[in-house]
Amino acid sequence: MASLQQQIAEKFLAALVEREEIDPAQIAELRQLLGRGKKPKADDFTQVFTTPRGGVVK
Amino acid sequence: MIKLEAAHIEEVRGIRRLDIDFDRTNFAISGPNGSGKSGVIDAIEFGLTGDIGRLSGRGTKGLSVAQHGPHVDMVDFPDAAYVRLSVFIPSLNKKATITRKVAAPSKPTIVPNDPDVKAVLEELSEHPEITLARRDILRFILVEPSKRSEEIQTILKLEEIGQTRAALHGAQNKLTNALKSATGLVAASRSTLQRHLGIETNSVPDLLKAVNERRMVLQLPAIAEFTQDTRLDAGIADPGQAPPFNKTTALRDLAALDDATVNIALIVAGDSASIQSGIERLERDPALLSSLQRRVLIEKGLALVDGAECPLCDHRWPDEAHLLEHLRGKMSKSEDAGVLQHQLLRHGAAIGSQVDGLLVLLRQAHRIAKGENDDASLTAINEWGKDLGALKMQLGTFDGLIGLKDRLEADWHAVPAALADNLNALRRAVEARPDQSAAVEAQTFLSTAQLRLEDYRAATRTEATAKSASVVAKIAYEEYCRAMEDELNALYADIQAEFSDYYRMINEDDEAAFTAELKPSEGKVDLKVNFYERGLYPPAAYHSEGHQDGMGVCLYLALMKRLFGKEFTIALLDDVVMSVDSDHRRQFCRLLKAQFPDTQFVITTHDRLWAQQMRSEGLVSAKTSMLFYGWSVDSGPLVEAASDVWEDISSALAKGKVETAAAALRRHLEYLAWVLADELSARPTFHADGKYELGELMPAVLSRSKELYVKAWDAAQSWGNEAAKVAIAERKATLAAASQASNVEQWAVNPAVHFNAWANFGQKDFEPVVAAFQDLVRTLRCPDCEGWVHPSPRGKPESLRCDCMSVNFNLTAKPR
């Protein structure tokens, strides 16, 4: 089946790795969000973008 | 994904009961209009997807699978209408059957019920694009670029990408607004700190000067360096206590509230006027207001979609994609309303930010009133605070803004009269307080300064976090758009190249240099095609309808190949080349064979000639063709099947039904005559309407057969090929005898033996007629492969042969 969505997601995440403004923890969360099979909502992304650098205490 | 092995269709659409053996290979169904061909496509589509495009696509209001899926006599018995498909799944090397009833389209019975089988069939059910009809072709070729973009994105299931982009954009907007709010709070807390310190600027020297003056009064060491950890009240006992009253600061805070309520009118004048103007426009245009209100509702619905059930009305759609398409379609009709909505909300947010500032000042006044135990002021402040809070909420939504016209026209920012009196009294009470001793003033000053500094620092930290999040959101959105654009450009470039290749293959005789340009830009896909190297134009500009049909199919094939890749194993093509001429359809057969050897095409056509071309080009065979020669409500499609037509005729004759047998024989011979006339390149007397009857075709077929045998014999003679001469003579004699027995050559002169008279024959008289034609047909075939003996190649035949070459006579005489 078409993997255009996956190709775009990979290209997108690879571009983010090159941007120092983006924390690796955020990139990891985005990867999970885009790969979970459910359509991500704006609130899902908002939560990722407001994650402090280095992640949160769990 | 799958290949069809067999289908059993019962009481679906115009079909009563039909079994088709597809054998995992290409299959052609031909027949006149209304004979049930599209009904077969509908049934297969239903079996695989649970839906029927003809009943649920655009322009099908009032139609539904539930009501119009069953045969018209079975509408009240939908349980009786079902399709059972036997399929093969190449990726799993497994067979399965899927049985789907019209009464329960979303609950098929799958055997075996293995998870991997179910997954493949589930995925297939989400791809209605496996069916292509002519109305679909028009969607790609003749629509405007923005619609074409939607169509192509739908077929490629790109809406998910659009949804991700929209979600990222939504997050960016939210975080941008959060940053604005945080920045507003920083400004408010800075202003509060500066006001308390009595300094005009936010400079450290000014702050330290004001602070150290008070520290000196208390004989505390001056603060030399201001850092993140500096405490302005360092050295004062119990710094954590609530700040004691500071008269100077309290008076300054009350004065700031007065100033703000006066100045705010000017600050928000522009935004207020814009909102009022927008509201007036809506009052003048009720349709626009209605459109906007619906848009707001649909926006809410879109945000809540999570499955196939509409969150607004609970209606269940075939799947989530259909529901989203429906809602977005409605949104797209209200673009003007959307622009106005955006403007109104923007102005509302600007005024809201000023309301926030007022609330900050009101909180200071509340603190002062509490310190004075002024219950009346506290009550009035609380009331106005609640009112401003409600106003802030209203300014944030469209529905809220609509109701604010009168309020915005009035002085909403003015302190309510009762509160104004209270605040005046409060100020007098504060002024009446004895001036604090220098020590008390200094102590309260420093405690309050520290608290306000902490508020300011907290607001700054919040703003920094919000800024970081906003930057991250912006970068994420931009990078996603970039990745999407790059991949879509590459996708369209691939599709453009393949589309052009396919079209050139079909039109190699007259458009061998064809090129196309499929250009995406800002939500549109522009399609331009080269017209005989005179330039690029929209397809409808200069190309004929037939060429446009060809383009549509080529674009479809390019899209499907891109979407499915190796999994493109099945497609249902419902009379898609009706406007394409004969030569180009032949090329189309070759395109399908050469470029899609692993794809099973189920093709319907009303054109007998094209049905025959598909066979002669090897796209389908006699076994994988089906001819419908008619349809009735009671029987459904009337199927012409070569393999058992003679049995049907014999069976009818045995029951004494000569009329039935005669009709069947005539139909079959009409069909064969068409086929043979094409195979042999027979030459009946031409007439422009192209309608040739049995009485014209069959004599022409026999005449041409004899002509070819004569030519073959002459060629054998010229080469001295005695063996060939004997074989040819034998076949020629057999043909002559069979021809004579059939009386075909007598039809023109003897009405008694003409086929029109067959229905009047008695059983014993008709049996020899049947036998004679059965024999005649046999002589025209190869005894080994049963294929027609035909000249080859077309146009300039060099041999008279069958498919297996058991019969193979040279037609070219030896040069002299």
Side-chain angles (χ1 to χ4, degrees), chain B residues 498-648:
Chain B
E498 300 227 6
F499 160 61
S500 302
D501 283 346
Y502 297 157
Y503 186 81
R504 276 195 298 272
M505 281 180 215
I506 295 179
N507 297 279
E508 61 183 15
D509 53 342
D510 55 354
E511 289 193 83
F514 175 83
T515 54
E517 185 183 82
L518 198 62
K519 207 167 162 186
S521 68
E522 295 176 359
K524 302 175 190 176
V525 174
D526 218 357
L527 172 62
K528 291 207 169 90
V529 293
N530 191 328
F531 184 70
Y532 292 97
E533 295 172 272
R534 261 55 167 192
L536 290 168
Y537 301 94
Y542 294 109
H543 280 89
S544 71
E545 197 174 282
H547 284 89
Q548 287 173 48
D549 276 6
M551 283 181 206
V553 181
C554 291
L555 185 54
Y556 168 81
L557 291 171
L559 288 166
M560 293 298 277
K561 190 168 181 181
R562 194 59 171 84
L563 174 61
F564 290 103
K566 287 180 193 165
E567 298 289 319
F568 181 34
T569 55
I570 183 153
L572 314 174
L573 306 182
D574 191 10
D575 223 345
V576 295
V577 293
M578 62 170 79
S579 299
V580 177
D581 62 34
S582 166
D583 281 342
H584 290 123
R585 279 181 291 184
R586 194 189 310 281
Q587 292 298 107
F588 179 63
C589 290
R590 291 178 186 163
L591 167 71
L592 295 185
K593 274 186 71 179
Q595 297 297 319
F596 300 92
D598 299 322
T599 305
Q600 179 187 28
F601 291 100
V602 178
I603 303 172
T604 71
T605 179
H606 67 279
D607 190 321
R608 254 196 276 197
L609 182 55
W610 194 50
Q612 175 49 29
Q613 277 176 321
M614 283 192 264
R615 285 169 57 172
S616 61
E617 291 299 324
L619 185 65
V620 298
S621 65
K623 282 188 183 169
T624 59
S625 299
M626 187 172 267
L627 169 67
F628 294 169
Y629 59 86
W631 180 89
S632 76
V633 171
D634 295 319
S635 65
L638 301 169
V639 183
E640 176 77 47
S643 57
D644 56 18
V645 67
W646 299 110
E647 284 176 20
D648 290 344

Side-chain angles (χ1 to χ4, degrees), chain B residues 389-587:
Chain B
L391 174 64
K392 174 81 195 291
M393 296 280 287
Q394 280 184 280
L395 288 164
T397 66
F398 169 72
D399 286 333
L401 280 166
I402 294 299
L404 281 178
K405 185 181 170 208
D406 291 341
R407 181 126 193 221
L408 291 175
E409 276 171 357
D411 291 335
W412 62 268
H413 40 75
V415 179
L419 178 57
D421 291 341
N422 287 123
L423 288 175
N424 281 335
L426 182 62
R427 187 175 51 253
R428 285 195 296 275
V430 171
E431 282 169 349
R433 280 231 192 172
D435 288 346
Q436 293 167 311
S437 67
V440 168
E441 198 276 339
Q443 191 169 354
T444 57
F445 178 93
L446 289 172
S447 298
T448 304
Q450 177 58 29
L451 278 162
R452 292 193 179 187
L453 175 64
E454 283 167 10
D455 285 344
Y456 174 63
R457 280 172 168 162
T460 309
R461 283 194 296 274
T462 303
E463 188 199 30
T465 306
K467 186 158 189 189
S468 170
S470 174
V471 165
V472 168
K474 183 170 184 287
I475 290 172
Y477 175 68
E478 286 170 357
E479 290 295 350
Y480 192 85
C481 287
R482 197 168 295 133
M484 189 172 148
E485 196 180 322
D486 288 348
E487 290 299 314
L488 282 176
N489 283 342
L491 165 78
Y492 285 121
D494 282 349
I495 293 172
Q496 172 184 295
E498 300 227 6
F499 160 61
S500 302
D501 283 346
Y502 297 157
Y503 186 81
R504 276 195 298 272
M505 281 180 215
I506 295 179
N507 297 279
E508 61 183 15
D509 53 342
D510 55 354
E511 289 193 83
F514 175 83
T515 54
E517 185 183 82
L518 198 62
K519 207 167 162 186
S521 68
E522 295 176 359
K524 302 175 190 176
V525 174
D526 218 357
L527 172 62
K528 291 207 169 90
V529 293
N530 191 328
F531 184 70
Y532 292 97
E533 295 172 272
R534 261 55 167 192
L536 290 168
Y537 301 94
Y542 294 109
H543 280 89
S544 71
E545 197 174 282
H547 284 89
Q548 287 173 48
D549 276 6
M551 283 181 206
V553 181
C554 291
L555 185 54
Y556 168 81
L557 291 171
L559 288 166
M560 293 298 277
K561 190 168 181 181
R562 194 59 171 84
L563 174 61
F564 290 103
K566 287 180 193 165
E567 298 289 319
F568 181 34
T569 55
I570 183 153
L572 314 174
L573 306 182
D574 191 10
D575 223 345
V576 295
V577 293
M578 62 170 79
S579 299
V580 177
D581 62 34
S582 166
D583 281 342
H584 290 123
R585 279 181 291 184
R586 194 189 310 281
Q587 292 298 107

Side-chain angles (χ1 to χ4, degrees), chain A residues 1-2 5 7 39 43, chain B residues 123 127 157 163 174 320:
Chain A
M1 298 302 298
Q5 294 87 337
Q7 286 167 18
K39 282 181 276 293
D43 285 343
Chain B
E123 194 165 13
H127 287 280
K157 307 287 262 187
Q163 283 164 9
K174 276 192 184 180
E320 189 176 315

